[in-house]
Amino acid sequence: MDYNLSHFGTQMSELTGVRAIMKDIIETLRQAGEREFINLSAGNPVIIPEVEKLWRDCTAELLASSEYGEVVCRYGSSQGYAPLIEAIVKDFNQRYGLNLSDRNILITPGSQALYFYAANAFGGYAEDGSLKEIVLPLSPEYTGYGGVSLFKEALRAYKPTLDIDENGHRFKYRPDFSQLAINEQTGCVILSRPCNPTGNVISDEELNKITELAKPAHVPVILDAAYSPPYPGLNFTEMTPQFGENLLHCLSLSKAGLPGERIGVAIGEPELIEVLESFQTNLCIHSPRYGQAIAARAIASGQLGHIAENVIRPHYQSKFAVLEETLDAYMPKTVPWFLHRGEGAIFSWLWLKDLPLSDWDLYQELKQQDVIVVPGSTFFPGLKEEWQHKHQCIRISLTATNEEIATAMQRLAKVVEKVYQGSAVGVG
Amino acid sequence: MDYNLSHFGTQMSELTGVRAIMKDIIETLRQAGEREFINLSAGNPVIIPEVEKLWRDCTAELLASSEYGEVVCRYGSSQGYAPLIEAIVKDFNQRYGLNLSDRNILITPGSQALYFYAANAFGGYAEDGSLKEIVLPLSPEYTGYGGVSLFKEALRAYKPTLDIDENGHRFKYRPDFSQLAINEQTGCVILSRPCNPTGNVISDEELNKITELAKPAHVPVILDAAYSPPYPGLNFTEMTPQFGENLLHCLSLSKAGLPGERIGVAIGEPELIEVLESFQTNLCIHSPRYGQAIAARAIASGQLGHIAENVIRPHYQSKFAVLEETLDAYMPKTVPWFLHRGEGAIFSWLWLKDLPLSDWDLYQELKQQDVIVVPGSTFFPGLKEEWQHKHQCIRISLTATNEEIATAMQRLAKVVEKVYQGSAVGVG
């Protein structure tokens, strides 16, 4: 039977950004037959043995305790499982000299759900009918932000400035404060730091400038710290997590080995926490508790922080090093290629200036060489203006082996060389 | 800092129905001191040893297998964990002679989230600006339906007819088909069967009549089977689960001992499943996988169905028997009290016709006797007309011990006697 959807139904049944591409990738892999693809599209973290062991050990402990029945066989509080909240309060107070209490914490079923609550509780239409924008101060950004607002027109991303090292073939995005507007028309600000897809870590000064801009209009800044220290600690450059006032600091344990369990954590003022908690109660009662119970143990014992720093971070940082070295060695010197500075996360981001074909066509060319990346144009949710740059980038996942990454980057270099040559011939 | 909320933010930060009452109950219990309350307000199922053992055993198996890392340390598909989907397809096809495939199934993080997706994907405002109602064919209904629609004005409940056994002090709600309208203005229909809070099981004929009414306008009927067979099997009367066409059959494992893990299951046409799956992808990516993995084992082995029938159902059915016997023995014969027929769920529902005070005042009187129930007026979400009956009911949870239930019902009988006498004196 065909059903009539509401406006939201129509909108929420569209898959945005990278999720639309995923269908093509899955289809490609299904039809692969004998061909062996190097799949650098994945956002799914690898299973690191030490990390799996940590979660197995915590589960065995939980199973051996009388706590198990209370955790799994009972409903819990919407705010979250008390021992997890307590462990986070203690750990963050100690690490960062904060004065958090349990009133500053909310546990959500993954951090994507948290962005859904925040985007729609603060952004969208106000009681007086005015539109409150959800501002992304940097673009490209996490593709999932494209799906969380119930009002697509509320999402507004800003074009960044480009900090380019021409000779070194490196670049970095920076917020364009000459353009960025945060005011009475703003509902909330969202940004990721470190950034998926670029690996960018905006500076403390830049972040402070954003939160200061947002204060006069009482606008919350939702900081997506899914790759940030202390867990998963996927920063490859020094960075200081920021907290307080209108900044809502949002963790995820997905890159700390728990993506299957969906654990997000919001840390912020009680005024923010209470709004989001009620939204959660109405939407899904509470977050799953098994993941919360094992996370409580891993955080309280200090093991999660230790493994993040000593296992998870070095793992992905070494992948980035392989990628960087291979590109430096094999990419044609004459082509204006620029790798985004690898400051964190589990991806790298390559900009091919004046690329003679679209990012989508480049993706297809790479598939011909059995390499799968993600076309970059899917990572600009909310950017309303046209920008050629959007079609000149690709995202490369760091979740493969060293050998796969090196091989894939060599093939990429060849494809890029051919593509720019073809263009030069064509133009000449 | 004070923050400005969007219209949805304001609305979703209000706690509806019974959740507002819960604050008063929690406060009462906190201040109890030496007093020992019999708390019959809880919707939190008791931990039944056989049920806890089942989930512990499944967890130990999972932990002993290589599957663990894939389940917990990796993202999964939005639709759900494949072995769980497979187990449900197989079990339901076998039990009910269906032809389900994996395309008919969606796993959600609890069934409340499923009602949120459905209410807002089908109800609310259409593209042309018209309001599509979320119809509750019976009222009272599950209080959580009051919180799931982003547009409060979309929720419309219908007053039922009352099927009264005057001498037996029993009654039953029935859909009032002379009033119930399901048409082009309807977005979707939602109802629970067995019903929380009343324990009502509407007949197959009544349910079929509702789905038939909904077909011409292509309206989906969202059937909340949280207490239905085969799991948790909390029906105390014969009932046949219904499937197919515009009916979306929605399970929950919360009353089968997994409330902490949040597992909901939608079974229906791919056209319905796909809409809800995309909504879920955008909102929270996927449901937690540990709960899915242990549920897959418990269903595939047949143990969950077995325990539901042989342990969970008899447990609550015997509680209802104690409640019923105590009320029959102690309630004043002359008072027009009517217990809703106990056809399922984990609550009983008492109607005190011509109650001389409000349900809220009765709740306060019972607290004086150290008994906590839930005032019934919180269970009429979406019922727009005034109805005296709304203020004459209480919900009594079956989650206490036999002794507690018997004692509490004796105290209730005394309070009721006093209250009606006082009134008679007052009137006389």
Side-chain angles (χ1 to χ4, degrees), chain B residues 99-178:
Chain B
N99 282 303
L100 302 174
S101 80
D102 62 342
R103 295 187 61 210
N104 297 110
I105 312 286
L106 174 69
I107 313 295
T108 64
S111 57
Q112 173 109 352
L114 176 47
Y115 306 130
F116 179 85
Y117 309 156
N120 295 296
F122 301 109
Y125 289 91
E127 297 289 359
D128 66 3
S130 64
L131 183 65
K132 299 286 190 175
E133 289 184 337
I134 299 154
V135 165
L136 312 184
L138 267 182
S139 186
E141 254 295 5
Y142 172 51
T143 185
Y145 302 152
V148 292
S149 175
L150 289 162
F151 299 103
K152 285 292 160 272
E153 65 272 28
L155 198 68
R156 171 182 297 273
Y158 284 86
K159 223 169 85 173
T161 61
L162 275 58
D163 191 344
I164 304 171
D165 171 4
E166 295 275 357
N167 296 329
H169 290 282
R170 294 293 182 280
F171 85 115
K172 179 177 162 71
Y173 295 115
R174 293 194 178 280
D176 184 354
F177 287 104
S178 74

Side-chain angles (χ1 to χ4, degrees), chain A residues 187-372:
Chain A
C188 62
V189 173
I190 309 186
L191 78 159
S192 61
R193 179 183 190 247
C195 175
N196 167 5
T198 62
N200 196 6
V201 174
I202 67 166
S203 69
D204 290 354
E205 292 68 33
E206 286 165 334
L207 179 55
N208 288 340
K209 208 162 164 182
I210 290 169
T211 55
E212 286 302 324
L213 267 174
K215 268 181 207 170
H218 295 228
V219 170
V221 175
I222 315 297
L223 185 85
D224 178 349
Y227 299 89
S228 173
Y231 6 90
L234 279 164
N235 56 310
F236 311 147
T237 183
E238 278 297 313
M239 65 172 282
T240 317
Q242 303 290 314
F243 303 90
E245 292 188 284
N246 60 332
L247 191 146
L248 189 77
H249 187 94
C250 305
L251 311 184
S252 159
L253 297 188
S254 293
K255 275 69 189 188
L258 277 190
E261 276 313 285
R262 323 299 309 118
I263 309 275
V265 183
I267 304 179
E269 286 191 336
E271 292 87 338
L272 291 172
I273 296 296
E274 285 159 17
V275 167
L276 302 172
E277 181 184 341
S278 298
F279 205 124
Q280 170 155 292
T281 306
N282 283 318
L283 199 158
C284 64
I285 308 182
H286 66 75
S287 305
R289 282 155 61 88
Y290 155 74
Q292 294 187 69
I294 59 174
R297 289 168 188 270
I299 290 170
S301 71
Q303 282 191 82
L304 186 59
H306 181 80
I307 284 184
E309 201 175 325
N310 296 289
V311 178
I312 300 175
R313 179 189 295 153
H315 177 90
Y316 288 102
Q317 192 163 11
S318 74
K319 301 294 174 196
F320 184 78
V322 170
L323 180 136
E324 194 168 33
E325 284 159 21
T326 315
L327 288 180
D328 281 339
Y330 289 88
M331 282 289 272
K333 302 285 174 253
T334 54
V335 165
W337 64 271
F338 300 97
L339 181 67
H340 196 286
R341 294 203 178 279
E343 300 174 328
I346 63 172
F347 306 102
S348 62
W349 180 260
L350 183 67
W351 169 37
L352 295 155
K353 195 183 166 191
D354 304 329
L355 181 67
L357 35 70
S358 72
D359 59 330
W360 177 263
D361 289 334
L362 179 63
Y363 156 76
Q364 298 291 359
E365 291 283 335
L366 286 167
K367 281 206 307 193
Q368 296 302 319
Q369 305 306 316
D370 301 342
V371 172
I372 301 179

